[in-house]
Amino acid sequence: MAARKPAAEEARAQEFMRLAIRLARAGMRRGQGGPFGAVIVKGRKVVARGVNRVTSANDPTAHAEVVAIRRACRKLGRFHLTDCELYTSCEPCPMCLAAAYWARIPVVYYANTRRDAAAIGFSDAFLYDELARPLHRRKLKMRQLLRAEAQAGFLEWRDKPDKTTY
């Protein structure tokens, strides 16, 4: 849980959250997707905005948080957001949470909970349950193939002197 902000910063944080909430409702009303909105903030400025675009883009990964993260990274010209905050109208699903971790966002503020989302038909409980299962017990069948051949690329990466690590 993030540390409590001083009053002026708390008011600013609430304004960023209100923006995420407004974006969620506006995107939903425009038929872009579900009622989810997100903003990425660097310092005191909004760097990027995102709304859920799953149905309008025919993209199951186009959640508001992922859309905002992609836009922020493009705008800032980098793949990490270590100096940014994510404000989202709902507690992130496992995919969006993972995206925030991969982007190295240090703090996420959210409004609605995942239980609130489940109450209106957006349950991700099955994903949390599936991720906790061993591979052989998941509903999504996974079968490993050609590991030895694939290792060549991994070894090449490991030894690549000019790689950009992430």
Side-chain angles (χ1 to χ4, degrees), residues 24-130:
R25 294 182 80 186
M28 173 195 61
R29 288 173 180 159
R30 284 192 304 269
Q32 292 181 289
F36 304 98
V39 294
I40 303 287
V41 174
K42 181 176 184 266
R44 296 177 179 184
K45 294 185 71 173
V46 173
V47 174
R49 303 164 190 236
V51 298
N52 182 288
R53 299 183 46 80
V54 170
T55 57
S56 61
N58 293 316
D59 180 353
T61 69
H63 290 200
E65 298 91 337
V66 172
V67 170
I69 288 168
R70 288 174 179 162
R71 288 177 175 167
C73 288
R74 271 194 307 271
K75 183 172 183 178
L76 296 173
R78 52 190 161 98
F79 55 83
H80 63 84
L81 301 172
T82 54
D83 54 352
C84 295
E85 298 172 336
L86 170 60
Y87 292 82
T88 178
S89 64
C90 187
E91 181 179 355
C93 75
M95 177 184 68
C96 295
L97 185 60
Y101 272 107
W102 279 114
R104 294 181 180 86
I105 296 171
V107 68
V108 175
Y109 296 94
Y110 65 93
N112 290 310
T113 68
R114 59 180 159 166
R115 286 171 194 78
D116 297 329
I120 62 164
F122 293 94
S123 180
D124 53 14
F126 78 97
L127 288 171
Y128 285 100
D129 293 343
E130 283 289 298

